[in-house]
Amino acid sequence: MVSDRIERERVLRHPIERVWTALTTAEGLSQWFGSEAEIDLRPGGRAYFRWEDLDDESVGTITVVDPPHRFAFRWGIEGLPKTDALQTLVEFTLEPVPEGTRLRLVESGFAQAADDIARSAHKANSQGWDAELGDLAAYLDVVA
């Protein structure tokens, strides 16, 4: 059985407002999460992400905007048609800590897909989040 969730936590050496901006603006997102981003930052708003190097894109629907602490969106499960109704929920939670900001990422909802699709998507997104969160930290360090 495939895990329904991916969970990651990182402490970033930057103020919560700077991390929030990197997560919730097209300018910030396009620096670490793919090569292009568009975002309508409101519940029900559209989030568009493109990865030029992978020739891939994804569209999500924003579900939570609680500045500067919580941001969430739903997007499609890799391996399913882009029009499929099954989606995962990606949630970012930010908390100020003495070292900067604790970022917690949870992506959930994989188990609703067929086992082979869920397993493949979970593996791909686990690896993807590891790389993307590393890119986020590097981006924040450069713009510091």
Side-chain angles (χ1 to χ4, degrees), residues 40-57:
D40 178 6
L41 191 60
R42 62 180 176 82
R46 177 181 179 266
Y48 168 82
F49 312 104
R50 175 147 184 79
W51 292 264
E52 255 336 291
D53 58 331
L54 302 174
D55 193 28
D56 192 22
E57 60 187 27

Side-chain angles (χ1 to χ4, degrees), residues 6 8 32-33 51 105 121-135:
I6 296 168
R8 299 290 185 268
W32 68 273
F33 194 62
W51 292 264
L105 162 82
H122 188 279
K123 179 180 180 183
N125 287 22
S126 290
Q127 293 169 346
W129 286 121
D130 289 342
E132 299 288 11
L133 292 177
D135 291 346

